[in-house]
Amino acid sequence: MALDLRLDGTVVLVTGGTRGVGAGIAAVFRQAGASVVTCGRTGEAGEGFVRCDVRDPADVTRLVDEVVSRHGRLDVLVNNAGGAPFADTATASPRFHDKVVALNLLAPLAVAQAANAVMQKQDGGGVIVNVSSVSALRPSPGTAAYGAAKAGLDNLTSTLAVEWAPKVRVNALDVGMVRTEASGHYGDLAAVGATVPLGRLAEPEEVGRCAVFLASPLASYVSGARLAVHGGGESPAYLRAGEERE
């Protein structure tokens, strides 16, 4: 097998792929030769884009049907749509938490179900990549429901990898801080980046390269895995405290 990441002829669906991390993922798949369809709640429907609210199961069915109608198949799903605003857990409403969990856990499940129904019938099966978060692995103050939903997404990933094998591989990316148009909420990006062992935030395309790897034949024996894309994580607080005392 040639050791490259070309995906010519592959049909890829990236949910929420019009901006931020999703746009970076879609761009790298296109660079690898794939035909990419993105979706979002707003935007002009057309070549490469389908309007869809991934929280609506009927809309999700229509989305996947549209991809198959255009391209005849669906080889890769990247469940990227997600996110949550900061909210104090003690005072956030049940409705707020419902929406966060629906977007970050139940929606990826619905899209994965629709994609799997197509992939199971294809000779080559398919691949699902769930974009999760380091918030699934550590405390997530201010985004409690989001962190809990992403932890659920990681568990869902390993479960679907068992249930849908051998035709469909399912993996997750546990993504850390990424430099996007929305990363201003981190504050001083240089200072925040300095807390990461690699010394900076990720670029969206770096997440995309990891997604392409998991979707490629190079990862043909990788399923049920979580790939940490976080620049080495976060330095332990006790190390900083020790440095400050010196």
Side-chain angles (χ1 to χ4, degrees):
M1 179 186 298
L3 294 181
D4 61 44
L5 293 178
R6 295 299 303 174
L7 296 174
D8 300 279
T10 299
V11 179
V12 181
L13 170 61
V14 181
T15 66
T18 59
R19 61 182 181 176
V21 173
I25 292 172
V28 177
F29 271 103
R30 291 189 183 103
Q31 292 166 11
S35 297
V36 179
V37 178
T38 62
C39 73
R41 286 184 294 167
T42 60
E44 290 296 324
E47 185 66 27
F49 178 81
V50 178
R51 189 179 298 170
C52 175
D53 184 345
V54 293
R55 298 169 299 180
D56 181 341
D59 231 14
V60 167
T61 298
R62 181 185 57 80
L63 166 67
V64 173
D65 287 348
E66 181 66 22
V67 173
V68 176
S69 175
R70 291 182 186 182
H71 298 280
R73 59 188 300 108
L74 174 57
D75 301 295
V76 179
L77 164 65
V78 181
N79 261 323
N80 166 76
F86 181 93
D88 176 60
T89 307
T91 57
S93 70
R95 179 174 173 80
F96 174 84
H97 289 148
D98 284 347
K99 287 186 174 181
V100 171
V101 173
L103 178 59
N104 292 282
L105 177 58
L106 301 181
L109 172 57
V111 184
Q113 286 177 304
N116 175 68
V118 174
M119 294 172 177
Q120 291 290 341
K121 299 175 184 177
Q122 298 175 162
D123 290 342
V127 179
I128 296 173
V129 179
N130 292 321
V131 178
S132 187
S133 169
V134 294
S135 293
L137 310 174
R138 56 156 173 73
S140 188
T143 53
Y146 172 81
K150 290 300 190 181
L153 184 60
D154 278 359
N155 180 273
L156 180 67
T157 296
S158 58
T159 298
L160 298 184
V162 173
E163 288 195 16
W164 295 350
K167 294 295 289 288
V168 176
R169 293 190 295 108
V170 187
N171 293 292
L173 299 175
D174 284 336
V175 179
M177 295 180 290
V178 184
R179 185 188 299 274
T180 70
E181 60 269 27
S183 57
H185 72 276
Y186 290 131
D188 185 337
L189 296 186
V192 172
T195 68
V196 179
L198 289 188
R200 61 178 177 84
L201 276 63
E203 299 297 332
E205 290 77 12
E206 292 179 299
V207 181
R209 292 175 200 134
C210 294
V212 167
F213 162 70
L214 289 176
S216 78
L218 294 183
S220 59
Y221 202 64
V222 180
S223 194
R226 301 192 309 270
L227 176 59
V229 188
H230 57 19
E234 301 171 357
S235 299
Y238 71 81
L239 292 179
R240 294 195 297 275
E243 292 170 356
E244 291 169 359
R245 287 196 297 268
E246 292 178 357

